[in-house]
């Protein structure tokens, strides 16, 4: 199949990225793999989505060589019509937009919708990504698997929520990512609470959430494909992220560490609870972040973790995903007209 990965920048890609794992596995299995960026995409008067794609020109045997071939002077660059591709994978995160670009706007979704109308299998589904673009997407999931949460811009309501909660809380931007501007509040009487709320709300809504003591044991990242946990044999594609000492954030890029973790009835129950919604919204490949017995977040734009999981357990998650994608792409191509929702549930 012909598969194209839409990223923010081709030249910022590194060997440990989940996108690289997926793209290399597709390349290794003999598929035509290309990369493109949102900035290179155009919609023409004759209803074509054009893009400049970059493709490796040689057969590569590891991820580093694959990226070298992709980024090198001999890589193949051409403008193509993306509707000629079988699969387009949207790996563009609007939260990483630079400069003055409005992070609420994700042009890849609009191009993705147009490609889907042309019969291209677009993952994750642009409509589902639009729904899940906010952390408020959690509110559409069963309450019993979520931490108590308030979303508001009102300082008064935040303080009321904290008083009623009667336990520590986390305050963070609704549109935030990567652990930025995340604060821990032990009680609502902290003297700098107004300053904290002001800092968090400077760019929009605030999410106030009950603090889960289990976070001391780290959070768990679980990868799901078509709503189900990824299993390689008996090993689930998940790992535990531990926060560095003195920090409440477990993100790897801020110094968090990774550890092995066993899949339990807790993860099984959460996965089963969110599976119908993920399938309905076409969120094919996602990462679920779990603390204790609660779901904190569903990562849908650029879910990562494959490199950490592969190294921890000596497995190949990328191969599993691409094998599954091959089957679903065939089904999509055969039955797309009028049956798209049925295909997602297969």
């Amino acid at each position: 199949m012909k598969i194209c990965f839409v990223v923010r920048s081709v030249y910022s890609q590194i060997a440990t990225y989940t996108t690289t794992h997926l793209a290399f596995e597709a390349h290794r299995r003999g598929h035509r793999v290309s990369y493109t960026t949102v900035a290179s995409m155009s919609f023409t008067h004759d209803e074509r989505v054009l893009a400049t794609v970059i493709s490796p020109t040689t057969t590569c045997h590891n991820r580093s060589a694959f990226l070298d071939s992709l980024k090198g002077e001999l890589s193949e660059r051409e403008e193509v019509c993306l509707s000629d591709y079988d699969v387009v994978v949207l790996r563009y995160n609007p939260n990483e937009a630079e400069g003055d670009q409005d992070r609420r706007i994700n042009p890849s979704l609009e191009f993705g919708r147009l490609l889907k109308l042309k019969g291209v299998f677009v993952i994750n589904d642009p409509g589902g990504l639009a729904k899940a673009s906010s952390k408020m997407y959690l509110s559409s999931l069963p309450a019993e698997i979520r931490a108590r949460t308030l979303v508001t811009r009102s300082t008064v309501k935040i303080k009321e929520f904290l008083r009623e909660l009667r336990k520590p809380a986390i305050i963070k931007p609704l549109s935030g990512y990567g652990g930025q501007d995340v604060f821990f509040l032990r009680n609502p009487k902290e003297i700098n609470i107004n300053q904290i709320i002001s800092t968090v709300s400077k760019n929009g809504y605030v999410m106030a959430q009950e603090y889960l003591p289990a976070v001391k044991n780290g959070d768990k990242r679980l990868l799901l494909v078509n709503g189900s946990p990824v299993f390689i044999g008996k090993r689930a594609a998940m790992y535990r992220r531990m926060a560095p000492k003195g920090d409440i954030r477990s993100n790897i890029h801020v110094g968090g560490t990774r550890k092995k973790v066993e899949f339990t009835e807790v993860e099984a129950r959460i996965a089963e609870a969110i599976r119908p919604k993920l399938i309905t919204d076409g969120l094919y490949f996602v990462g679920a972040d779990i603390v204790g017995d609660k779901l904190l977040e569903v990562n849908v734009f650029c879910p990562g973790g494959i490199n950490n999981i592969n190294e921890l357990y000596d497995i190949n998650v990328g191969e599993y995903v691409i094998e599954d994608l091959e089957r679903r792409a065939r089904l999509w191509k055969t039955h797309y007209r009028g049956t798209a929702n049925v295909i997602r549930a297969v």
Side-chain angles (χ1 to χ4, degrees):
M1 62 184 176
K2 293 176 66 177
I3 180 170
C4 184
F5 292 84
V6 181
V7 297
R8 183 174 61 86
S9 168
V10 175
Y11 296 99
S12 66
Q13 303 300 302
I14 60 177
T16 57
Y17 280 180
T18 286
T19 303
T20 309
H21 277 270
L22 296 175
F24 172 69
E25 286 303 322
H27 170 79
R28 189 177 65 84
R29 293 174 67 83
H31 300 298
R32 167 73 171 179
V33 177
S34 302
Y35 276 63
T36 192
T37 64
V38 175
S40 78
M41 299 169 76
S42 304
F43 180 63
T44 65
H45 181 68
D46 56 354
E47 299 185 348
R48 293 185 302 161
V49 176
L50 303 180
T52 300
V53 301
I54 302 177
S55 310
T57 54
T58 59
T59 300
C60 306
H61 301 288
N62 58 64
R63 296 191 309 278
S64 295
F66 172 77
L67 285 180
D68 288 343
S69 179
L70 187 74
K71 299 177 183 180
E73 294 181 358
L74 298 180
S75 63
E76 182 178 320
R77 293 168 171 80
E78 59 179 333
E79 187 173 62
V80 301
C81 179
L82 283 181
S83 60
D84 292 336
Y85 279 73
D86 300 295
V87 180
V88 169
V89 184
L90 302 180
R91 296 286 295 178
Y92 172 82
N93 189 345
N95 290 319
E96 296 179 353
E98 297 178 338
D100 296 327
Q101 183 175 341
D102 190 338
R103 289 177 176 170
R104 294 171 297 179
I105 298 174
N106 186 349
S108 70
L109 300 188
E110 301 305 321
F111 288 114
R113 288 190 183 101
L114 295 169
L115 290 170
K116 183 181 174 184
L117 290 173
K118 294 293 185 180
V120 180
F121 187 26
V122 181
I123 57 173
N124 284 325
D125 185 272
L129 286 176
K131 293 177 183 178
S133 60
S134 166
K135 290 184 175 68
M136 286 185 71
Y137 185 70
L138 287 177
S139 67
S140 64
L141 302 174
E144 62 268 19
I145 65 171
R146 297 186 273 114
R148 288 184 60 186
T149 302
L150 169 73
V151 176
T152 184
R153 297 191 75 165
S154 168
T155 299
V156 173
K157 284 186 171 57
I158 293 174
K159 290 181 177 179
E160 289 176 351
F161 174 80
L162 296 175
R163 285 195 296 268
E164 293 173 0
L165 196 60
R166 295 183 179 180
K167 61 171 65 174
I170 299 294
I171 293 184
K172 55 187 177 182
L174 179 64
S175 60
Y177 74 101
Q180 293 182 354
D181 291 334
V182 177
F183 293 90
F184 171 75
L185 290 177
R186 192 169 299 278
N187 65 70
K189 296 182 180 180
E190 294 197 28
I191 58 174
N192 61 341
I193 187 171
N194 289 327
Q195 181 180 353
I196 290 174
I197 295 173
S198 176
T199 298
V200 176
S201 63
K202 62 186 177 184
N203 291 318
Y205 278 84
V206 174
M207 174 178 279
Q209 196 169 61
E210 69 171 313
Y211 173 75
L212 301 174
V215 76
K216 295 178 181 178
N217 298 320
D219 68 358
K220 292 169 282 188
R221 164 63 60 86
L222 171 65
L223 298 182
L224 300 102
V225 165
N226 206 49
S228 298
V230 172
F231 273 90
I232 313 298
K234 295 183 178 181
R235 171 62 63 186
M238 65 182 295
Y239 68 107
R240 188 186 300 276
R241 302 183 301 184
M242 301 294 296
K245 187 175 181 180
D247 201 328
I248 59 173
R249 302 169 298 171
S250 57
N251 307 74
I252 299 298
H253 75 272
V254 297
T257 57
R258 63 189 189 185
K259 290 187 176 181
K260 294 181 179 180
V261 65
E262 295 299 322
F263 185 84
T264 70
E265 291 183 1
V266 169
E267 290 76 46
R269 177 174 59 84
I270 290 175
E272 187 60 27
I274 66 177
R275 181 174 183 268
K277 180 66 173 172
L278 296 179
I279 291 176
T280 298
D281 292 339
L283 297 175
Y284 171 77
F285 180 58
V286 306
D289 291 343
I290 300 168
V291 170
D293 61 352
K294 302 295 183 182
L295 176 69
L296 285 192
E297 189 172 353
V298 180
N299 295 268
V300 299
F301 285 109
C302 289
I306 284 183
N307 192 73
N308 290 317
I309 293 167
N310 285 355
E311 290 188 350
L312 282 169
Y313 305 114
D314 193 25
I315 58 179
N316 190 339
V317 177
E319 182 179 41
Y320 173 97
V321 176
I322 296 301
E323 284 182 350
D324 186 86
L325 183 57
E326 290 168 351
R327 181 171 69 90
R328 296 187 188 280
R330 288 194 296 268
L331 290 170
W332 181 271
K333 187 174 183 179
T334 303
H335 304 291
Y336 170 76
R337 297 185 187 278
T339 59
N341 289 331
V342 175
I343 297 304
R344 292 198 193 104
V346 172

